């Protein structure tokens, strides 16, 4: 089953193609497989609406049996969602930042928290003004990730409050 992890960022600065390129660069850096099937959807104005990539540890294969992997979804900005105030829904995490979930990881579970940590660390290193948010209110900043990197790896890192480290 698993939960979702979201990259939250200011929607006004969002460029889905940059997120895609950053994810590819991160996979190269952490020696992960980046599996893109060229499946893209677009808004009527031609801007990217959604695409996804499979990311897995390079020591395994992309299959149902490999738990050390995840699907990374990248979304474009839906202006209709912004018009109804979706950019204020996450103010409880970081007030007044106009943050939205514009990319997300499917199915965070015990078997893939290590590759997600490696991905999140390198992604936030490239994008320090963004956050990784796990669905039950824990948002990790670049500063949080740097602190966690200095500690022995805890497979439950994403299930704990980053302010308690």
């Amino acid at each position: 089953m698993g939960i979702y992890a979201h990259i939250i960022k200011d929607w006004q600065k969002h460029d889905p193609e940059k997120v895609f390129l950053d994810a590819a660069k991160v996979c190269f850096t952490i020696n992960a497989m980046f599996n893109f099937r060229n499946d893209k959807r677009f808004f009527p104005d031609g801007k990217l609406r959604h695409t996804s990539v499979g990311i897995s540890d390079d020591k395994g294969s992309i299959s149902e049996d490999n738990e050390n992997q995840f699907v990374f979804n990248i979304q474009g900005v839906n202006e209709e969602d912004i018009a109804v105030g979706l950019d204020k829904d996450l103010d409880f995490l970081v007030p007044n930042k106009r943050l939205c979930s514009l990319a997300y990881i499917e199915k965070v579970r015990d078997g893939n928290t290590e590759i997600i940590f490696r991905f999140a660390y390198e992604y936030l290193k490239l994008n320090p003004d963004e956050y990784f948010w796990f669905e039950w209110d824990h948002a990790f900043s670049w500063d949080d990730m740097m602190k966690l990197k200095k500690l022995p790896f805890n497979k439950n890192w994403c299930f704990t409050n980053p302010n308690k480290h």
Side-chain angles (χ1 to χ4, degrees):
M1 177 124 160
I3 60 147
Y4 286 64
H6 303 263
I7 292 176
I8 57 173
K9 63 188 298 174
D10 182 330
W11 66 271
Q12 294 169 314
K13 297 177 183 177
H14 181 54
D15 178 350
E17 288 86 0
K18 181 183 179 313
V19 174
F20 180 88
L21 293 172
D22 286 350
K25 183 176 183 176
V26 166
C27 287
F28 181 82
T29 301
I30 67 172
N31 290 325
M33 293 171 51
F34 183 84
N35 185 21
F36 178 59
R37 295 188 182 137
N38 201 20
D39 179 22
K40 300 175 282 204
R41 284 179 261 146
F42 297 90
F43 289 110
D45 65 1
K47 292 180 182 173
L48 184 67
R49 180 183 190 102
H50 180 267
T51 193
S52 64
V53 296
I55 297 174
S56 67
D57 186 71
D58 73 334
K59 296 170 192 69
S61 63
I62 297 174
S63 70
E64 292 292 320
D65 297 332
N66 181 5
E67 284 205 4
N68 205 14
Q69 66 184 358
F70 59 90
V71 175
F72 184 60
N73 294 279
I74 303 165
Q75 304 173 113
V77 174
N78 185 342
E79 297 290 340
E80 292 173 7
D81 289 340
I82 302 304
V84 297
L86 186 67
D87 62 335
K88 294 175 184 63
D89 285 354
L90 298 171
D91 277 359
F92 70 97
L93 291 171
V94 185
N96 303 313
K97 288 277 192 163
R98 303 180 69 89
L99 301 174
C100 291
S101 170
L102 294 167
Y104 61 95
I105 293 171
E106 292 182 29
K107 300 182 182 173
V108 176
R109 53 192 180 272
D110 286 344
N112 66 2
T113 59
E114 188 265 337
I115 192 169
I116 291 172
F117 179 84
R118 291 173 26 221
F119 182 86
Y121 180 86
E122 293 296 331
Y123 183 88
L124 290 177
K125 187 177 184 181
L126 294 174
N127 301 284
D129 59 335
E130 298 176 19
Y131 301 84
F132 261 79
W133 171 55
F134 294 84
E135 289 185 328
W136 56 81
D137 300 347
H138 298 310
F140 293 81
S141 67
W142 169 234
D143 288 338
D144 296 327
M145 296 304 290
M146 287 190 300
K147 289 175 193 170
L148 285 173
K149 182 84 169 172
K150 294 176 184 175
L151 301 173
F153 181 73
N154 173 0
K155 74 175 187 166
N156 294 317
W157 71 275
C158 53
F159 304 111
T160 60
N161 185 336
N163 297 322
K164 292 186 178 183
H165 296 287

